[in-house]
Amino acid sequence: MTNQPHEHIVKSYDEEQRRLVGEILHMGAMAVAQLEAALDVVERRDDRAAQRIVANDVEIDKLEAKISHDVMQLALRGPMARDLREILAGLRIPSDIERIGDYAANVAKRSIALNVSPPVPHTTNLRALGLLAARQVSEVLDAYRDGDADRALRVRARDAELDAQYTALFRELLTYMMEDARNITPCTHLLFMAKNLERIGDHATNIAENIWFLVHGDQPLPPRDKRDETNTTGAV
Amino acid sequence: MTNQPHEHIVKSYDEEQRRLVGEILHMGAMAVAQLEAALDVVERRDDRAAQRIVANDVEIDKLEAKISHDVMQLALRGPMARDLREILAGLRIPSDIERIGDYAANVAKRSIALNVSPPVPHTTNLRALGLLAARQVSEVLDAYRDGDADRALRVRARDAELDAQYTALFRELLTYMMEDARNITPCTHLLFMAKNLERIGDHATNIAENIWFLVHGDQPLPPRDKRDETNTTGAV
C-alpha cells in the first residue's frame, strides 16, 4: 500500500489526476494479465494456477475501492464543473475493469470444474474468443491513456466481431451437447466461460464509450446493435 | 423529464441529497417492476410484452446517467469530506440498480427465444428463484430508504438461500438436458435466465454492502462465502 493517510506533500490537482489515471491503467493491466492467465489455465488444466487467479482478483477489487475513494477526494478538492467528466470517467472505468477482473477469475474458476471431466476438444475456439477479448481490453486502455476517442470507437466497433465469434461458439457447443449427453456438463461450463468472455467485450465497449464521453462530452454516440445474439435465437 | 437546466430556485444541499435518494428509490422500483414483468412473460409466453420490457430498460439507463450527473454536481457543490460516503453510495447504488434492470430485460429477451420451442415444464422453479430475487431487491431498497444497515445485512445473508435455489435449478436443468437432447436448447436458455436471476441477487448484496458502508464507514464487514457453486462443481 502506498496510500498514506497524512501525506506531507500535497500534490497539485493535475498531478493527482495524472497519478490516478496511472493507477487506473495499472488496474487495467492487472485485469488483462488475469484474463490471459485464465486462458492459459484452461489449456493447461492447471487447478492450482486457476485458484491463484481466483485469489488474485481481490487485489483488483481493493484497487478499485482505493481509486474510487481517491477520485472522490479529488472531486471534493477541485469544485470546478469542467472536472466533472474526468471524475465520472475516473469512477466508471475502474468499475468496468473490476468486472473484467471478475469475469477473468470466473473463467479460471470454471476451468477447475471443467477439469473434473475428461478433456474436451472445444477449448480452441474459446481461447480465440478470449484472446480477442484481451486485445479489446488492452486497446481500449491504450485509448484511455492517450485520450484517443477515435481509437476507442474502433474498439467499440470491433465488439461485433467478438459477438459473432461468441455466437458461433455457442451454437457449436450446443451441437456437441446434442451429439453426446456426456458432453453436456463440460459444454455447459464452456458456454458460461464463453459468455464471460463476451461480457468482457461489453465492458471494453463501456470503457470506450466513457472515453468518448470524456473527450466529447454529451455529443451523442451513434446507436449500436445489441451484441449477444444467442438470447434472441431459438434455433441452434 | 423533470430536469431543468436552469432552475430558478437552488435547493439546499440536504434537500437535493434527499431528492436524489428519492430518484434512486424510484429507479430501484422501476428495476423491480421490470423483473416482475419479466417473470410474468416467461409464464405467459408473451413475446410482445417481453419486447416492451427490453425496450423499457433504456429508461432505467437514462435515469442512471441523470442521477450520476446530479450526484456529481452535488459533490462539486458541497466539498465536505463527511459527504464522501453519501456521494459514493449515490453513484454505486444506481449502477447496481442499472445492472438489475439489464438482467431483468435479459430474462425477458431469453423468454422470446424460449417461445420458439414447445413449452417446457421447468419454469416453475425459475419463477420461484426470480420472486426471491425480486424480494431481495425490494427489501434492500427499503433498507436504503431507512438507512437501516442491519436490515441490509439480513438481505445480504439471505443471498445464500438464493444461491442454493440457483444451484439446485442448475443441476435440475442439466439432468433434463441429459434425458432428452430436445431439451438442450430451451434448457440452455433457462440456465442463462437462472444465472441472470442469481446475478440480480449479487447486485442486491452489493447494494446491502454499500448501505453498510454508508452507515458505518470503513468498519469491516464479515467475510462471505462465494455464491454460485455451479462453477466449482464438475459433477451434476
Side-chain angles (χ1 to χ4, degrees):
Chain A
M1 276 287 174
T2 56
N3 189 28
Q4 293 169 311
H6 301 287
E7 286 180 30
H8 288 286
I9 300 157
V10 176
K11 289 201 177 81
S12 78
Y13 190 95
D14 288 347
E15 273 175 331
E16 178 62 8
Q17 176 71 37
R18 273 195 300 278
R19 188 187 71 78
L20 282 169
V21 170
E23 288 251 272
I24 294 169
L25 291 169
H26 173 60
M27 187 185 166
M30 279 168 75
V32 172
Q34 284 277 92
L35 173 55
E36 288 170 346
L39 297 172
D40 274 345
V41 300
V42 177
E43 294 299 299
R44 298 199 336 260
R45 296 172 66 83
D46 182 342
D47 286 358
R48 200 173 292 220
Q51 259 143 3
R52 274 199 303 275
I53 295 166
V54 174
N56 280 347
D57 186 46
V58 174
E59 296 306 315
I60 297 180
D61 297 352
K62 278 189 197 158
L63 201 51
E64 194 214 354
K66 182 177 177 307
I67 289 170
S68 67
H69 179 269
D70 291 355
V71 169
M72 285 309 308
Q73 289 288 4
L74 189 67
L76 296 173
R77 250 173 76 182
M80 304 282 287
R82 70 164 179 82
D83 299 321
L84 190 63
R85 295 209 306 264
E86 276 177 10
I87 293 162
L88 273 178
L91 290 167
R92 287 178 181 159
I93 292 174
S95 156
D96 280 304
I97 296 172
E98 187 265 335
R99 300 295 317 261
I100 290 169
D102 281 352
Y103 286 118
N106 225 285
V107 169
K109 211 170 185 179
R110 287 212 182 257
S111 80
I112 298 172
L114 204 58
N115 295 346
V116 175
S117 319
V120 275
H122 324 307
T123 55
T124 321
N125 288 344
L126 187 88
R127 187 174 174 80
L129 186 70
L131 290 175
L132 180 54
R135 184 182 146 206
Q136 289 284 87
V137 178
S138 291
E139 192 161 342
V140 86
L141 290 170
D142 288 348
Y144 177 57
R145 182 195 58 210
D146 302 337
D148 186 342
D150 290 338
R151 191 166 179 190
L153 280 193
R154 285 199 298 277
V155 172
R156 178 175 176 261
R158 204 163 45 224
D159 189 49
E161 200 179 303
L162 199 151
D163 293 332
Q165 277 194 27
Y166 165 69
T167 303
L169 179 57
F170 186 94
R171 285 160 187 258
E172 190 189 342
L173 290 168
L174 283 190
T175 59
Y176 290 130
M177 290 159 91
M178 288 176 182
E179 273 168 27
D180 186 341
R182 283 168 300 182
N183 288 335
I184 289 176
T185 298
C187 285
T188 299
H189 289 299
L190 288 168
L191 279 177
F192 276 92
M193 289 158 95
K195 184 72 189 166
N196 286 336
L197 297 171
E198 186 264 341
R199 294 292 298 142
I200 287 175
D202 288 346
H203 287 284
T205 298
N206 285 353
I207 294 172
E209 292 179 354
N210 273 296
I211 295 167
W212 172 273
F213 165 75
L214 183 62
V215 175
H216 294 294
D218 289 335
Q219 225 173 294
L221 274 155
R224 283 178 75 232
D225 293 336
K226 196 55 198 159
R227 287 132 285 203
D228 168 10
E229 288 170 26
T230 63
N231 54 9
T232 49
T233 45
V236 188
Chain B
M1 276 285 175
T2 56
N3 189 28
Q4 293 170 311
H6 302 288
E7 286 180 32
H8 289 283
I9 300 157
V10 175
K11 289 202 177 78
S12 78
Y13 189 93
D14 287 348
E15 274 175 331
E16 178 63 8
Q17 175 72 36
R18 274 194 300 277
R19 189 188 71 78
L20 281 169
V21 170
E23 288 252 270
I24 293 169
L25 290 170
H26 173 62
M27 188 185 166
M30 281 169 74
V32 172
Q34 285 277 94
L35 174 55
E36 289 169 345
L39 297 172
D40 274 347
V41 300
V42 177
E43 294 300 297
R44 298 201 334 260
R45 296 173 64 86
D46 183 342
D47 286 359
R48 202 173 291 219
Q51 258 144 3
R52 275 199 303 274
I53 295 166
V54 173
N56 280 347
D57 186 47
V58 174
E59 296 307 314
I60 297 181
D61 297 352
K62 276 188 198 158
L63 201 50
E64 194 215 354
K66 181 178 176 308
I67 289 170
S68 68
H69 179 269
D70 291 355
V71 169
M72 284 310 306
Q73 290 288 3
L74 189 67
L76 296 173
R77 250 173 76 181
M80 305 282 286
R82 71 165 178 83
D83 300 322
L84 188 64
R85 295 208 306 264
E86 276 176 9
I87 293 162
L88 273 178
L91 291 167
R92 286 177 182 160
I93 292 174
S95 155
D96 280 304
I97 297 172
E98 187 266 334
R99 298 297 315 261
I100 290 168
D102 280 353
Y103 286 118
N106 225 285
V107 169
K109 211 171 186 177
R110 287 213 183 255
S111 80
I112 299 172
L114 204 58
N115 295 345
V116 175
S117 320
V120 275
H122 323 309
T123 54
T124 320
N125 289 343
L126 187 88
R127 186 174 175 79
L129 186 71
L131 290 176
L132 180 54
R135 184 183 145 203
Q136 289 283 87
V137 178
S138 291
E139 191 161 342
V140 85
L141 291 170
D142 288 348
Y144 176 57
R145 181 196 59 208
D146 302 337
D148 187 341
D150 289 338
R151 191 167 181 188
L153 280 194
R154 285 198 299 276
V155 173
R156 178 174 177 260
R158 205 163 44 225
D159 189 50
E161 200 180 303
L162 199 150
D163 293 334
Q165 278 194 26
Y166 165 69
T167 303
L169 179 57
F170 186 94
R171 284 159 189 257
E172 189 189 343
L173 290 169
L174 283 191
T175 59
Y176 290 130
M177 291 159 91
M178 288 174 180
E179 272 167 29
D180 187 342
R182 282 168 301 182
N183 288 335
I184 289 175
T185 298
C187 285
T188 300
H189 289 300
L190 288 169
L191 280 177
F192 276 93
M193 289 158 94
K195 183 73 189 164
N196 286 336
L197 297 172
E198 186 265 340
R199 293 293 297 142
I200 287 175
D202 289 346
H203 286 285
T205 298
N206 284 353
I207 294 172
E209 293 180 353
N210 272 297
I211 295 167
W212 172 273
F213 165 76
L214 184 61
V215 175
H216 294 294
D218 288 336
Q219 225 173 295
L221 274 156
R224 282 178 75 234
D225 293 338
K226 196 59 194 154
R227 289 132 286 202
D228 168 9
E229 287 170 25
T230 65
N231 54 8
T232 49
T233 44
V236 188

